[in-house]
Amino acid sequence: MRVKPLFQCLLVVLLILTAGLAGCSNNQGASSESKNKDSESEEKASDSGEKITITYGTWQEDKEVDQVIKAFEETHPNIDVKKDKSLGWPWNEKLSAAAAAGKLPDVFWTFGVPTAITNGWLEDLTPYLEKDEDYNPENTFESVLKTANYDGHQYAMPHSMHAIVMLLNTDLFEKENVPVPDSSWTLDDLRKASVQLTDYNNQQFGFLNPRAYREVLPVQFDNSLEWGTWDGEQYNFSSAAYVDSQNYINTLWNEDKVSPSVYTQEERDKWYGKDKDPWTLGKIGIRYDGTWGLKGNTDNNKFNWTVLPVPGVDGYRVPLVADYVGISKNSKHKEASYEFLKWLTFSKEGWFDRKDAGVPVARSIPLINDEEIWDAYLSDEAVPEEMKEIIQLIPDGTVDPLKAHPGYTEALNIIGSMNEKFDKGEANPSDVGAEMDQKANATYEKATEELDKAIKE
């Protein structure tokens, strides 16, 4: 930010500055005094045994929210938590309305951390974490943690984490006499198996929906990239990795026709029944999915299945999806809110409290790197044994930028519009990469400027 020369209109400026500084000094003192009073009031309420009530904004299902709140309140009897039922989808729009009305929840999930910072919704958690003796970033997955850290400020914490994986119907592999691959499999192995498992006459297909796989595929062609072709400084849609990944998907779809999604909804409804999932019916060999679905697959699949990492050309990186939680900048109970946030995120006690309360263990991969927690997680009936190998890949994983990377929502619109053109044969990935780079990098630069300005204010 440029500063205007002070020698211009010196006397006038000095008079304005003097008056302004006096006013600012009084206002800052009043603001500081008000904050201190709020803090003292909160501490006195806590010391006296009086309950503090905080509000919680989440898109988690009501049953699990009730379990979470009950478990927290049992171990923190001085804090009551009330779910904010006014929030819903579209999430950012609802948060914006709540903020405008001065009714942001004390603690809330955020679908876009940069958006929440730019709008002034989030408290900087850094001072709380720095004075918390229980907090050690080395006991978490720093690759995920740092996605919500901007210019050294931790504005949100990941409260859940999922891995993108491949699910394999091993019964179908056995039926078709196709060897079940191990975790060292490659993209060539995936394509070969998908073709071998496809039997159109029996409405059986090798791969459920290859096009859903597009976003995470470039990094599997070039492990130096991140999710979405990001390299740490810019997008790289003009790279060979992006072009090759899109051509791979097009081959599976147009040439190999390994997916029921290639065909019309009317045809699929005729084959499987309206709104029926061909994977659950046992008619799909390989499914691209996330670990959030492990329990559902355990409960609903009537066939044997396993889980493998997303394969690559020569090595691979596991794609990770994180969800984030923060504290309202205008909360009147920030210390109590921090206790709840801590319990939801990096507290070992909080993890076991939630487990004991019945919250499904397999719903999220633990964010706390602790042997007891890993033993409990891996012993859960909904977690396949093969998850051990995927967990080992997490420290070097690539994180979904949707909720934390500045400008990625806009970049995703650019990617999506090009995908539609690819699907219709109206564009070729090798011809439009430079244009995509220019547009996507511009969205990042604009969002970063706005974010930097908000952080410095």
Side-chain angles (χ1 to χ4, degrees):
M1 181 177 67
R2 294 180 180 177
V3 180
K4 293 181 179 179
L6 288 178
F7 58 82
Q8 295 178 0
C9 304
L10 181 59
L11 292 177
V12 177
V13 172
L14 285 173
L15 288 172
I16 293 172
L17 284 174
T18 302
L21 286 172
C24 288
S25 176
N26 289 337
N27 288 337
Q28 287 173 352
S31 176
S32 176
E33 182 179 350
S34 175
K35 288 181 180 179
N36 288 336
K37 284 183 178 179
D38 285 342
S39 179
E40 289 172 7
S41 175
E42 187 171 341
E43 288 177 6
K44 287 178 181 178
S46 178
D47 292 341
S48 66
E50 180 184 343
K51 285 192 175 183
I52 295 170
T53 299
I54 61 174
T55 50
Y56 179 38
T58 170
W59 58 77
Q60 195 172 27
E61 294 179 2
D62 286 344
K63 179 182 176 182
E64 289 188 24
V65 175
D66 292 342
Q67 292 172 325
V68 167
I69 289 175
K70 182 180 178 182
F72 176 77
E73 291 178 343
E74 286 179 353
T75 55
H76 298 75
N78 63 314
I79 304 174
D80 276 347
V81 180
K82 302 296 182 187
K83 180 184 178 182
D84 187 333
K85 296 183 179 180
S86 69
L87 295 180
W89 296 98
W91 195 255
N92 283 340
E93 289 183 22
K94 294 291 186 179
L95 280 178
S96 183
K103 295 182 179 180
L104 271 178
D106 294 286
V107 179
F108 59 92
W109 290 15
T110 171
F111 198 75
V113 183
T115 299
I117 298 171
T118 302
N119 287 324
W121 299 341
L122 285 175
E123 175 81 352
D124 182 0
L125 299 175
T126 310
Y128 301 86
L129 297 169
E130 286 178 346
K131 70 179 183 180
D132 189 340
E133 295 181 357
D134 295 331
Y135 177 66
N136 182 354
E138 293 183 0
N139 291 339
T140 64
F141 290 106
E142 292 190 75
S143 60
V144 181
L145 187 66
K146 70 181 182 182
T147 57
N149 189 297
Y150 307 89
D151 197 25
H153 300 268
Q154 192 76 36
Y155 276 95
M157 296 290 286
H159 64 76
S160 61
M161 177 176 66
H162 315 278
I164 300 296
V165 294
M166 293 294 190
L167 305 182
L168 278 65
N169 179 338
T170 53
D171 284 353
L172 208 57
F173 274 78
E174 183 177 349
K175 173 189 168 221
E176 297 298 332
N177 198 29
V178 177
V180 177
D182 59 27
S183 60
S184 65
W185 69 329
T186 65
L187 285 167
D188 284 343
D189 296 328
L190 170 60
R191 183 187 174 196
K192 182 178 179 181
S194 297
V195 171
Q196 291 175 319
L197 294 168
T198 297
D199 181 358
Y200 174 82
N201 292 330
N202 289 310
Q203 294 82 54
Q204 174 184 298
F205 295 91
F207 196 164
L208 184 57
N209 185 5
R211 284 179 174 171
Y213 187 29
R214 277 174 161 151
E215 229 183 314
V216 302
L217 199 52
V219 67
Q220 311 307 340
F221 277 83
D222 180 353
N223 297 162
S224 70
L225 295 176
E226 299 294 340
W227 189 309
T229 77
W230 184 253
D231 67 3
E233 296 182 356
Q234 62 184 10
Y235 292 102
N236 293 272
F237 297 106
S238 56
S239 65
Y242 180 74
V243 173
D244 290 345
S245 67
Q246 303 314 300
N247 288 337
Y248 179 86
I249 295 296
N250 290 338
T251 298
L252 286 173
W253 190 278
N254 297 316
E255 183 180 327
D256 299 332
K257 298 185 184 301
V258 297
S259 172
S261 303
V262 171
Y263 303 92
T264 66
Q265 185 65 56
E266 183 180 6
E267 288 175 291
R268 299 198 300 271
D269 288 345
K270 182 179 178 181
W271 295 339
Y272 309 121
K274 188 172 177 59
D275 299 325
K276 296 292 184 180
D277 177 13
W279 164 261
T280 305
L281 295 173
K283 304 294 281 186
I284 303 294
I286 302 167
R287 176 174 184 158
Y288 166 85
D289 205 349
T291 52
W292 54 77
L294 292 179
K295 181 168 172 49
N297 279 279
T298 300
D299 293 343
N300 300 321
N301 294 348
K302 307 301 181 186
F303 52 84
N304 292 309
W305 58 282
T306 189
V307 59
L308 287 180
V310 172
V313 173
D314 182 18
Y316 45 78
R317 295 176 63 192
V318 60
L320 302 170
V321 178
D323 288 310
Y324 303 86
V325 62
I327 295 174
S328 169
K329 201 170 188 177
N330 295 323
S331 172
K332 294 181 179 179
H333 303 297
K334 291 178 181 175
E335 293 295 339
S337 296
Y338 175 75
E339 279 302 311
F340 185 45
L341 177 140
K342 171 181 176 177
W343 184 88
L344 286 170
T345 58
F346 66 88
S347 166
K348 179 178 178 179
E349 291 75 16
W351 193 90
F352 277 106
D353 288 343
R354 295 192 298 278
K355 174 182 179 294
D356 294 342
V359 177
V361 167
R363 192 75 83 213
S364 168
I365 297 173
L367 284 153
I368 309 155
N369 201 6
D370 180 271
E371 187 175 352
E372 287 185 82
I373 288 178
W374 285 123
D375 287 344
Y377 173 77
L378 290 168
S379 63
D380 188 87
E381 64 178 5
V383 179
E385 184 178 352
E386 292 78 9
M387 276 299 297
K388 288 181 180 179
E389 295 186 61
I390 292 171
I391 287 168
Q392 293 174 0
L393 302 172
I394 290 175
D396 190 41
T398 180
V399 185
D400 178 9
L402 178 63
K403 303 184 190 79
H405 191 73
Y408 189 72
T409 302
E410 291 77 12
L412 201 55
N413 291 333
I414 296 166
I415 297 168
S417 65
M418 282 301 177
N419 285 343
E420 290 181 11
K421 292 183 179 181
F422 297 158
D423 295 345
K424 295 176 183 178
E426 298 174 354
N428 190 307
S430 61
D431 297 332
V432 298
E435 176 188 350
M436 293 176 69
D437 285 345
Q438 188 275 325
K439 290 181 177 179
N441 288 323
T443 67
Y444 170 74
E445 290 169 8
K446 180 182 177 182
T448 301
E449 287 176 5
E450 294 173 351
L451 183 61
D452 289 343
K453 181 179 178 182
I455 291 173
K456 291 173 183 176
E457 286 179 349

